[in-house]
């Protein structure tokens, strides 16, 4: 069981044995350490742990009983990189759990992140998302992705998962029967 603690710390708890291990990644953020919030965590099929924060994506690679931490940031000079550092949610792809991470951002829409190359394909309002603030991403039984936003829900039907991603977006709003358009964090 992983537990996010304040000041860039993680705890791994084994409920059966009660053993606790702590990990600290404060060195990645310097003087911003106390303001870092872990908004989302996901562990992929390779055993990598991913942390979505409001200041970037943290990759946690197992190394000799501990972890090496790497901060991945948006870079305007890299069109294949993250397009926004404020990460609200993460989802390991239900079909490609060892190679794809879906990242919902607060302003950049969705980033389909290739775990091997660190390349992203961006899905934004220009592609049909109702809004570029994405709070949650969940798969359904047909491997469609359902996304909550500030302006309704979106269903992303992916017909090709390898780059370039091929998908279709259906947006749902109050005009279609939703009780409200805004979905938000607690």
């Amino acid at each position: 069981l992983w537990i996010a603690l304040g000041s860039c710390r993680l705890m791994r708890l084994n409920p059966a044995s009660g053993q606790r291990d702590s990990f600290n990644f404060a060195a990645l953020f310097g003087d911003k350490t106390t303001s870092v919030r872990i908004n989302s965590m996901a562990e992929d099929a390779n055993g990598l742990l991913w942390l979505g924060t409001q200041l970037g994506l943290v990759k946690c690679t197992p190394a000799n009983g501990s972890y090496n931490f790497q901060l991945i940031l948006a870079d305007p000079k890299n069109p294949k990189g993250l397009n926004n550092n404020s990460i609200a949610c993460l989802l390991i792809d239900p079909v490609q759990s060892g190679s794809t991470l879906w990242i919902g951002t607060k302003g950049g829409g969705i980033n389909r992140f290739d775990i091997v190359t660190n390349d992203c394909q961006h899905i934004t309002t220009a592609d049909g998302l109702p809004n570029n603030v994405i709070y949650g991403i969940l798969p359904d039984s047909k491997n469609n992705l359902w996304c909550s936003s500030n302006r309704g829900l979106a269903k992303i039907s992916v017909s090709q998962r390898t780059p370039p991603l091929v998908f279709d977006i259906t947006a749902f709003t109050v005009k279609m029967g939703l009780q409200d358009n805004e979905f938000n964090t607690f």
Side-chain angles (χ1 to χ4, degrees):
L1 178 66
W2 286 101
I3 302 166
L5 305 171
S7 298
C8 298
R9 294 176 300 134
L10 290 172
M11 181 190 310
R12 182 176 56 199
L13 172 66
N14 181 329
S17 69
Q19 180 175 341
R20 291 179 278 187
D21 299 302
S22 295
F23 306 96
N24 187 320
F25 57 96
L28 296 177
F29 293 97
D31 62 352
K32 296 178 184 173
T33 298
T34 57
S35 65
V36 173
R37 289 182 323 274
I38 299 172
N39 297 323
S40 186
M41 285 191 267
E43 188 171 10
D44 68 25
N46 305 313
L48 299 173
L49 185 65
W50 300 90
L51 310 175
T53 77
Q54 85 281 17
L55 299 175
L57 179 67
V58 178
K59 177 181 179 181
C60 313
T61 306
N64 300 320
S66 187
Y67 282 83
N68 291 328
F69 298 99
Q70 175 189 1
L71 180 60
I72 300 170
L73 296 170
D75 177 359
K77 296 176 189 167
N78 180 6
K80 289 187 176 184
L82 282 178
N83 67 354
N84 191 291
N85 288 328
S86 187
I87 298 170
C89 62
L90 300 172
L91 174 70
I92 300 299
D93 189 277
V95 177
Q96 299 175 319
S97 62
S99 63
T100 302
L101 176 66
W102 295 92
I103 302 171
T105 70
K106 292 184 179 181
I110 298 170
N111 286 232
R112 181 208 169 270
F113 183 82
D114 186 308
I115 292 169
V116 177
T117 65
N118 288 0
D119 287 345
C120 289
Q121 183 171 346
H122 310 119
I123 303 172
T124 66
T125 54
D127 301 300
L129 282 181
N131 191 263
N132 283 330
V133 175
I134 302 297
Y135 292 112
I137 306 172
L138 292 173
D140 67 17
S141 61
K142 296 180 182 175
N143 295 317
N144 296 307
L145 303 176
W146 288 85
C147 310
S148 56
S149 81
N150 271 349
R151 295 233 165 86
L153 294 175
K155 177 180 133 183
I156 302 176
S157 303
V158 182
S159 56
Q160 178 178 312
R161 280 183 143 70
T162 55
L165 186 67
V166 177
F167 59 90
D168 182 57
I169 297 176
T170 305
F172 298 89
T173 64
V174 286
K175 291 179 182 177
M176 302 171 96
L178 286 182
Q179 66 182 16
D180 199 338
N181 279 335
E182 185 168 353
F183 293 80
N184 210 318
T185 56
F186 51 91

